[in-house]
Amino acid sequence: QVQLVESGGGLVQAGGSLTLSCAASGSTVNMGWYRQAPGKQRELVASITRGANTNYADSVKGRFAISRDNAKDTVYLQMNSLKPEDTAVYYCNADIRNPLDRKISNYWGQGTQVTVSS
């Protein structure tokens, strides 16, 4: 069964840094990070293709960096200069190809809490 396992969340003071990791048990194509704050819709934070093209939400440009290790099917989110507004549950997302039939399916990680105190 395909799984996405996230790690790296926690509590940090404003201005601090955290790095999130997400390891997939399959052959990943596009990967990304989403977040959801209480009472808010889930939103895209950053995405990355297998060829390492990236896209960021305007609210995190210049502060966050997404990267990946294709050999490990792992995606990372380096978060710097954190603000209280970044507080949310962060979810990993990935498109994974089944090598047997070449079909691509989408999967979500379990979520990890990031809390930024003022």
Side-chain angles (χ1 to χ4, degrees):
Q1 188 104 34
V2 171
Q3 289 186 316
L4 303 181
V5 180
E6 301 180 30
S7 62
L11 174 65
V12 65
Q13 291 186 327
S17 298
L18 283 174
T19 300
L20 306 182
S21 299
C22 173
S25 60
S27 182
T28 54
V29 188
N30 296 328
M31 305 184 80
W33 290 96
Y34 293 72
R35 67 186 181 188
Q36 187 166 25
K40 299 289 187 67
Q41 294 290 112
R42 188 172 299 186
E43 65 175 349
L44 177 67
V45 177
S47 63
I48 186 167
T49 67
R50 188 167 181 87
N53 288 330
T54 59
N55 184 63
Y56 296 92
D58 288 341
S59 60
V60 306
K61 286 181 180 176
R63 299 189 298 121
F64 292 10
I66 189 170
S67 61
R68 65 187 294 161
D69 184 333
N70 288 340
K72 297 180 179 179
D73 287 302
T74 298
V75 64
Y76 307 92
L77 186 68
Q78 176 66 51
M79 303 183 293
N80 301 315
S81 302
L82 282 161
K83 305 174 180 179
E85 309 93 89
D86 296 317
T87 295
V89 177
Y90 284 70
Y91 295 91
C92 179
N93 181 268
D95 290 328
I96 296 178
R97 188 188 306 278
N98 186 331
L100 298 179
D101 59 11
R102 303 175 61 186
K103 292 181 178 180
I104 295 176
S105 298
N106 188 256
Y107 298 87
W108 289 97
Q110 80 278 10
T112 185
Q113 178 71 47
V114 172
T115 302
V116 184
S117 62
S118 60

